[in-house]
Amino acid sequence: LLLVSSDGSSSIASMSGVTNKAFATSTHQSPLEIEKIVDLRGGASKRKARTGSLTKKTVTGKKKVGAKNASSKSKTLFDDAIQKYKDIPILTRIYLSAIMVLTLLGLLLGEERAQAVLALDPMRFFFGMELWRPFTAASFMGKPSISWLMSSYYLVQYGEQLERAYGPAQFLVFMATQIGILTLFSTLLGVPFFAQCVITGMLHVISRTFPKQQVQWLIFKVPYWTLPYGLMFADVLQAQSGAAAVPHIMGILSGHFYFFHRFIWPKTGGQDWLEAPDFLVERMDPNAASKAKGKDSINKALKNRKRKGRKLGSA
């Protein structure tokens, strides 16, 4: 039997009233205040935010880093290719760009239309005044292929060596001579395109300039002057036809014409009529023009000094 006094019951009733009032007050709190209380206590919402941040770092972070590295690598390769293209001498770069543009144009037009528009047609060139045909015939190498890539590589290699050795003005004279002579040969022989002939002409002039220099061809080291004939022999074997030697023979003849009249004929007392004119040298290669003027002034001074000097033993 539990006896509760009146004072005690009144005190219990007052305590239960306080508890009910506090519960009612907590239930009427705002969601923001409840979330703050849970955060201070260290509840599940804070742990969820942490795991979410860790997931973002591990998953999306790795992908972003990988994508950044891949984009940077591709950008570096593209920049290297652009820089190598810009490092090619100006006239060789223009010639290579013309070959690329005409190759794309040939793909758009088709084989038949490309030959009708770009090939060297003597009747249309001489009587129809289609003056672009010798230049397109010297710059069109057909559809992209392994042979196209190799010819472009040889063009850059030999054209760059020739232009750096002789200067852009003299290289322009060389190209004009080659296109003129090969236009005549192609008209007589019925050859529609002669880009391969121009490349062989470049190689022949370079090989005659450094005839005894050893170069690598396939697995052999051969003298430079034999390289044009080696490439001709390789093309004949690959095509299984002697007709493949015709472009190489035309290029060797046109290149030898330039080399003979530029370097051999003047040594025998003939006139060097293939030397680049002074205005062209000053326009395209001012450094070479200043060096040439300096050499001429030095030679004149030495000649005048020899004339004024006296021989030993003379009075």
Side-chain angles (χ1 to χ4, degrees), residues 115-116 118-131 133-134 137 182-194:
Q115 289 189 358
L118 305 177
L120 179 63
D121 190 340
M123 299 300 293
R124 292 185 177 182
F125 172 64
F126 291 109
F127 300 104
M129 298 301 293
E130 297 180 359
L131 303 180
R133 290 188 177 273
L182 290 172
T183 299
L184 179 61
F185 285 169
S186 299
T187 301
L188 296 176
L189 299 177
V191 178
F193 300 102
F194 51 85

Side-chain angles (χ1 to χ4, degrees), residues 62-74:
K62 286 184 179 179
K63 288 184 178 179
K64 287 182 179 179
V65 171
K68 185 177 180 180
N69 292 335
S71 62
S72 63
K73 287 181 180 179
S74 61

Side-chain angles (χ1 to χ4, degrees), residues 188-218:
L188 296 176
L189 299 177
V191 178
F193 300 102
F194 51 85
Q196 184 62 48
C197 306
V198 176
I199 298 172
T200 305
M202 292 179 182
L203 175 58
H204 180 75
V205 174
I206 286 292
S207 65
R208 297 302 299 172
T209 306
F210 311 101
K212 296 182 180 180
Q213 181 179 348
Q214 297 290 320
V215 293
Q216 189 76 26
W217 180 59
L218 300 179

